[in-house]
Amino acid sequence: MPGAFTLLKTDPATAARRGRLATRHGAVETPEFMPVGTQGTVKAMTPAQLREIGAQIILGNTYHLNLRPGAEVIRGLGGLHAFMGWDGPILTDSGGFQVFSLAKLRQVGDDGITFQSHLDGATVFLGPRQVIEIQRSLDSDIAMVLDECPPWPCERDACLRAVERSRRWAGACLAAARATGFLADGRQVFAIVQGSVFDDVRREAAAALAALDFPGYAIGGVSVGEPEPEMLRQVAVTAPCLPAAKPRYTMGLGTPPQLLKMIALGVDLFDCVMPTRVARNGQVFTPDGPLNLRNEKFRADPRPVVAGLDNYTCRHFSRAYLRHLSLANEMLVGTLLTIHNLHFYLDLMRQARAHIEAGDYAAWHRGWIERYESASAD
Amino acid sequence: MPGAFTLLKTDPATAARRGRLATRHGAVETPEFMPVGTQGTVKAMTPAQLREIGAQIILGNTYHLNLRPGAEVIRGLGGLHAFMGWDGPILTDSGGFQVFSLAKLRQVGDDGITFQSHLDGATVFLGPRQVIEIQRSLDSDIAMVLDECPPWPCERDACLRAVERSRRWAGACLAAARATGFLADGRQVFAIVQGSVFDDVRREAAAALAALDFPGYAIGGVSVGEPEPEMLRQVAVTAPCLPAAKPRYTMGLGTPPQLLKMIALGVDLFDCVMPTRVARNGQVFTPDGPLNLRNEKFRADPRPVVAGLDNYTCRHFSRAYLRHLSLANEMLVGTLLTIHNLHFYLDLMRQARAHIEAGDYAAWHRGWIERYESASAD
């Protein structure tokens, strides 16, 4: 689907980009963060609450949804949008990453991956054709190709084999998406660049996938255990090798400073479970760094998590109340802290977009990171 | 506070009443059900969601809030309304019931109860003055007196001692509420009638408390293990002995049919954890009886829980989706099923009020119960 992405502006001092990604369920202003809805729900949030914090697009997990409740059940109920009550864009991963991290008795062949479900031990096969079919059953707006994500650390030879296999699977996914009409009715398929820590492997993988003219490109194999400088280096190596006219997405990342740094490297889309996951443990984000609300010092603190931040949690509740809910293990704390953390991420992306438009992204993002990392939030 | 309750209409064929209870935080149309907010939150619900389903008044638990985070912390943060972000009326129990059901090493004396916190073993004393002071710190609109709830079954002598002690504590609570200005600024205190299964003891207890001219009266010591017919008999014996011009409240009850039967006996207010508690196990209420959504037969069921019921859950989600969330142990299911169950209860109370106004409550409530109990919901 050429033309789905419009590059509106490129920052003069960094590689940051302001873009717009058209989908069947509306446009996504980029850079943007995608809340993760693994099992057909962004944990603890209603779709109405997601809309209220300004979420533009969410992520669903093919591996999980295909095992439970099953792609056919979701298709029979009108697709993932109708199933979960979200009428905005949905990107789904291919399931490959979870096969490598969750499934048991995995066998990787040239045609695909055979594995046992982590839920009930059932034998499942995922090949390029299957992952496109499943994502069609889910009615994804943006599907990801099946890939093999090398672990970290990884020998060069093993990495080369995974990259070559991933390249062939990517081509097969694109062919399946064309043959089945997946692309024709406005859906998109994004390729995934692997290559571990080997710069030349990443560059060649990016070039080979770029030649296939995908609607978008992800940088995969990052945030798999490597140190942060190494992760940023991989993104810095890979991003310039991707077509400038297509959206770029780093999968599974990251902290607020990491997002701003990757935007400066030319990345447009992000997803990460961190803001939702840490919320359930009482951790919240602020411009002065993270806080853990379970700390005794918040026992009678009447302040909101972030003064002036316009979300339901900050408008109505004190740190003392949120701490109380967390210590009492009340379900509501998961909802209220997830609202805050996701809104904090989305608001950060809104600020990033505004500063790219204003032409001062470089200075702004350096200042933001400096405050976040040096200040002591209380 | 005489005049807070207005009796608008009495049903010609039953003892059902249509009333209005004025409070410092707005009026409550009765009969009404009060969602339970034990620890400063109606479990899994935001205050906005409570408003959306039409909740008029909620209940808070003195025992729990006094132990954690502490009544003084809540007072310092502006009271329970500000603390939990709920600006409607709040009724708080006295803590007595939980002292008898949760606390350890309990010692009951004529002045009050000494016990150990179930959270940290700290020694706490609750007497009539303390429970009024705590409920003032919480800024309750309606406080309950301290009482001693006899267990079931109970010997007559033990019951008489508990009733006599409860009567003296009720008088002491009223005196403390007058002396401290609790009543003067528009708050109310409700008495609690005990008496176990002894009709004459209940009648005498009701008469003695009625003579003290409380703003409202609760029927306590029900739903403590006795069979349902016995419970309804206790309510039937007690209600007519209470002043007609004051609101009547049965504590901790009950199922939808029980509520309708108690309304027919002249009860105006109810609270119960059941609709919120069972929601977290996948159980939902329908006019054709309860359903457990974890059942296999709902695997691909596209229907809402109750077709046409105007709440967020029934407007947007299928039984199949809710079943999926429940099997996946997703937090959202607690929220969505609680929304439905509480709305179902509140909607039932709205219907009851309308039928009392229309003068056909007797036939309507019999028909409603017959359908609920005889139909096989699917």
Side-chain angles (χ1 to χ4, degrees):
Chain A
M1 186 171 156
F5 186 67
T6 308
L7 193 56
L8 300 171
K9 181 163 184 182
T10 302
D11 186 57
T14 72
R17 301 132 54 91
R18 174 73 181 86
R20 183 173 299 138
L21 176 62
T23 80
R24 297 151 69 237
H25 286 88
V28 178
E29 304 295 328
T30 65
E32 183 57 315
F33 176 82
M34 302 183 281
V36 179
T38 300
Q39 309 208 78
T41 159
V42 174
K43 286 188 194 299
M45 297 276 283
T46 66
Q49 287 165 335
L50 278 173
R51 279 290 179 202
E52 196 175 311
I53 61 170
Q56 299 190 79
I57 175 173
I58 64 170
L59 188 138
N61 281 100
T62 293
Y63 173 87
H64 290 282
L65 293 171
N66 187 48
L67 295 183
R68 184 177 58 194
E72 283 309 299
V73 167
I74 293 176
R75 190 178 64 82
L77 291 161
L80 186 53
H81 296 82
F83 184 62
M84 67 181 292
W86 169 255
D87 60 3
I90 298 178
L91 178 148
T92 48
D93 63 9
S94 67
F97 186 80
Q98 279 79 22
V99 169
F100 286 95
S101 58
L102 291 179
K104 300 168 193 163
L105 295 178
R106 190 174 55 243
Q107 284 191 306
V108 186
D110 283 346
D111 294 339
I113 315 163
T114 304
F115 62 94
Q116 287 195 343
S117 159
H118 76 287
L119 291 179
D120 61 5
T123 300
V124 183
F125 174 76
L126 283 186
R129 191 168 57 80
Q130 284 74 24
V131 303
I132 294 299
E133 275 177 8
I134 293 167
Q135 291 178 91
R136 186 186 180 87
S137 292
L138 298 178
D139 197 25
S140 309
D141 298 294
I142 303 173
M144 301 302 298
V145 300
L146 183 66
D147 66 333
E148 181 177 346
C149 177
W152 183 88
C154 175
E155 295 294 327
R156 183 179 171 92
D157 281 357
C159 175
L160 280 169
R161 283 193 299 275
V163 165
E164 171 53 20
R165 187 174 270 146
S166 296
R167 194 198 57 74
R168 277 187 284 111
W169 287 353
C173 283
L174 192 59
R178 286 195 177 117
T180 58
F182 186 93
L183 289 178
D185 59 2
R187 295 185 182 86
Q188 303 177 47
V189 178
F190 283 14
I192 305 173
V193 180
Q194 294 289 350
S196 190
V197 298
F198 307 106
D199 299 8
D200 59 328
V201 180
R202 283 203 171 264
R203 288 198 190 96
E204 282 166 32
L209 292 168
L212 295 179
D213 196 27
F214 277 87
Y217 291 87
I219 301 173
V222 285
S223 192
V224 291
E226 77 281 12
E228 178 184 291
E230 182 58 49
M231 180 275 286
L232 289 170
R233 208 181 57 78
Q234 293 170 51
V235 175
V237 164
T238 311
C241 303
L242 296 172
K246 303 294 177 65
R248 301 163 182 166
Y249 160 34
T250 49
M251 303 180 76
L253 284 166
T255 65
Q258 287 173 348
L259 262 57
L260 296 188
K261 289 174 187 172
M262 289 187 284
I263 288 172
L265 296 173
V267 180
D268 309 299
L269 290 167
F270 309 92
D271 83 275
C272 190
V273 295
M274 184 164 43
T276 37
R277 181 171 293 164
V278 301
R280 302 195 295 278
N281 298 320
Q283 190 181 307
V284 289
F285 295 96
T286 87
D288 297 306
L291 298 180
N292 194 312
L293 291 177
R294 297 174 75 94
N295 194 302
E296 163 71 18
K297 70 181 169 184
F298 302 121
R299 184 170 165 275
D301 191 335
R303 294 175 295 170
V305 176
V306 177
L309 196 61
D310 191 23
N311 64 54
Y312 184 70
T313 305
C314 290
R315 281 197 304 271
H316 293 287
F317 304 100
S318 63
R319 295 173 177 186
Y321 178 66
L322 299 168
R323 174 178 188 269
H324 163 67
L325 292 184
S326 185
L327 293 181
N329 292 316
E330 281 287 348
M331 296 172 68
L332 184 60
V333 76
T335 300
L336 294 179
L337 300 192
T338 300
I339 286 174
H340 170 77
N341 281 354
L342 284 179
H343 177 256
F344 184 87
Y345 265 63
L346 296 172
D347 187 67
L348 185 62
M349 295 297 100
R350 268 191 291 271
Q351 291 181 62
R353 292 194 296 271
H355 285 284
I356 297 169
E357 287 170 11
D360 65 352
Y361 183 79
W364 171 78
H365 96 288
R366 277 194 302 269
W368 197 98
I369 293 170
E370 190 182 340
R371 176 179 169 187
Y372 185 88
E373 293 183 340
S374 66
S376 170
D378 70 342
Chain B
M1 187 170 155
F5 186 68
T6 309
L7 191 57
L8 300 171
K9 181 164 184 183
T10 302
D11 186 57
T14 71
R17 300 133 52 92
R18 175 73 182 85
R20 183 173 298 138
L21 176 61
T23 80
R24 296 150 69 235
H25 286 87
V28 179
E29 304 297 326
T30 65
E32 183 58 315
F33 176 81
M34 303 183 280
V36 179
T38 300
Q39 309 208 78
T41 159
V42 174
K43 285 189 194 301
M45 298 276 283
T46 65
Q49 288 165 334
L50 277 173
R51 279 290 179 202
E52 197 176 310
I53 60 170
Q56 298 190 78
I57 175 172
I58 64 171
L59 188 138
N61 281 101
T62 293
Y63 173 86
H64 290 282
L65 293 170
N66 187 48
L67 295 183
R68 181 176 60 193
E72 282 310 298
V73 168
I74 293 176
R75 190 178 65 81
L77 292 159
L80 187 53
H81 297 81
F83 185 61
M84 68 181 291
W86 170 256
D87 60 4
I90 297 178
L91 178 149
T92 48
D93 63 9
S94 67
F97 186 80
Q98 280 77 22
V99 169
F100 285 96
S101 58
L102 291 177
K104 299 167 193 163
L105 294 178
R106 191 172 55 242
Q107 285 191 306
V108 186
D110 283 345
D111 294 339
I113 315 164
T114 304
F115 61 95
Q116 286 195 344
S117 159
H118 76 290
L119 292 178
D120 62 5
T123 300
V124 183
F125 174 77
L126 283 186
R129 190 168 58 77
Q130 284 75 22
V131 303
I132 294 298
E133 274 176 10
I134 293 167
Q135 291 178 91
R136 186 186 181 88
S137 292
L138 298 177
D139 198 25
S140 311
D141 298 294
I142 302 172
M144 301 302 298
V145 300
L146 183 66
D147 66 333
E148 181 177 346
C149 178
W152 182 89
C154 176
E155 297 293 327
R156 184 180 171 91
D157 279 358
C159 175
L160 281 170
R161 282 194 298 275
V163 166
E164 171 53 20
R165 187 175 268 145
S166 295
R167 195 197 57 71
R168 276 187 283 110
W169 286 352
C173 282
L174 192 60
R178 286 195 176 117
T180 59
F182 186 93
L183 289 178
D185 58 5
R187 295 185 182 86
Q188 303 176 46
V189 178
F190 283 14
I192 305 173
V193 179
Q194 295 289 351
S196 189
V197 298
F198 307 104
D199 299 9
D200 59 328
V201 179
R202 283 202 172 266
R203 287 197 191 97
E204 281 166 31
L209 293 169
L212 294 179
D213 196 27
F214 277 88
Y217 290 88
I219 300 172
V222 284
S223 192
V224 291
E226 77 281 14
E228 179 184 290
E230 182 59 49
M231 180 275 287
L232 289 170
R233 207 181 57 77
Q234 292 171 50
V235 175
V237 164
T238 311
C241 303
L242 296 172
K246 302 294 176 66
R248 301 164 183 166
Y249 160 34
T250 49
M251 303 180 77
L253 285 166
T255 65
Q258 286 173 348
L259 262 56
L260 296 189
K261 289 174 188 173
M262 288 188 284
I263 288 173
L265 296 173
V267 179
D268 308 298
L269 291 167
F270 308 93
D271 83 276
C272 191
V273 296
M274 184 164 43
T276 38
R277 181 172 292 164
V278 302
R280 302 194 296 278
N281 297 320
Q283 189 182 311
V284 289
F285 294 95
T286 87
D288 297 304
L291 298 179
N292 194 312
L293 292 176
R294 297 174 75 94
N295 195 303
E296 164 70 18
K297 69 181 170 184
F298 302 120
R299 185 170 165 273
D301 191 334
R303 294 176 294 171
V305 176
V306 177
L309 195 62
D310 190 23
N311 63 55
Y312 183 71
T313 305
C314 290
R315 280 197 306 271
H316 293 287
F317 303 100
S318 64
R319 294 172 178 187
Y321 178 67
L322 298 169
R323 174 178 188 268
H324 163 68
L325 291 184
S326 186
L327 292 182
N329 292 316
E330 282 287 349
M331 295 172 68
L332 183 60
V333 76
T335 300
L336 294 180
L337 299 193
T338 301
I339 286 174
H340 169 76
N341 280 353
L342 284 179
H343 177 254
F344 184 88
Y345 265 64
L346 295 173
D347 187 68
L348 184 62
M349 295 297 101
R350 269 191 290 270
Q351 292 181 61
R353 293 194 295 270
H355 285 284
I356 297 170
E357 286 170 11
D360 65 352
Y361 183 79
W364 170 79
H365 97 288
R366 277 194 303 268
W368 197 98
I369 292 171
E370 189 182 341
R371 175 179 170 187
Y372 185 88
E373 293 184 340
S374 67
S376 171
D378 69 343

